[in-house]
């Protein structure tokens, strides 16, 4: 659940910055989704990708590689969330 919440926060901050014109999406898949399907398309894609990852972590629960992968993902997305929280521009 923590991983899903951190991903949601990253997505919403990305969309806010993109709408404000302070972000150029470097991920070509996300860029295409934004241009072709807007924020809804990117939200659906992100939800699908996070769901697949979470299912993988749940299926592998108890296996050391899945546990480490989940923890590493949480650490990385916590860093991303902190970077967004400290972002110096007001793009609301």
């Amino acid at each position: 659940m923590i991983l899903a919440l951190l991903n949601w926060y990253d997505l919403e901050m990305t969309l806010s910055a993109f709408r404000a014109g302070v972000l150029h999406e470097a991920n070509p898949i996300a860029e295409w989704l934004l241009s072709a399907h807007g924020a809804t398309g990117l939200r659906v894609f992100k939800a699908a990708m996070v769901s697949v990852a979470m299912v993988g972590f749940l299926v592998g629960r108890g296996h050391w590689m899945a546990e480490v992968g989940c923890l590493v993902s949480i650490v990385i997305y916590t860093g991303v969330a902190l970077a967004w929280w400290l972002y110096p521009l007001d793009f609301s």
Side-chain angles (χ1 to χ4, degrees):
M1 185 56 101
I2 292 170
L3 189 55
L5 290 172
L6 288 168
N7 269 276
W8 171 79
Y9 180 73
D10 174 44
L11 173 63
E12 293 306 317
M13 293 302 290
T14 298
L15 290 172
S16 294
F18 186 80
R19 279 190 296 266
V22 297
L23 174 82
H24 171 74
E25 182 57 64
N27 178 335
I29 296 170
E31 177 67 32
W32 176 80
L33 284 165
L34 278 170
S35 64
H37 303 285
T40 300
L42 188 57
R43 282 185 181 107
V44 168
F45 176 75
K46 181 85 168 195
M49 293 298 99
V50 170
S51 295
V52 167
M54 290 176 66
V55 166
F57 289 142
L58 287 171
V59 168
R61 189 175 181 150
H63 190 278
W64 73 270
M65 286 178 66
E67 299 289 331
V68 169
C70 188
L71 290 174
V72 168
S73 297
I74 289 171
V75 168
I76 290 169
Y77 273 98
T78 298
V80 169
L82 182 61
W84 275 122
W85 187 62
L86 296 173
Y87 200 77
L89 297 175
D90 179 23
F91 48 81
S92 53

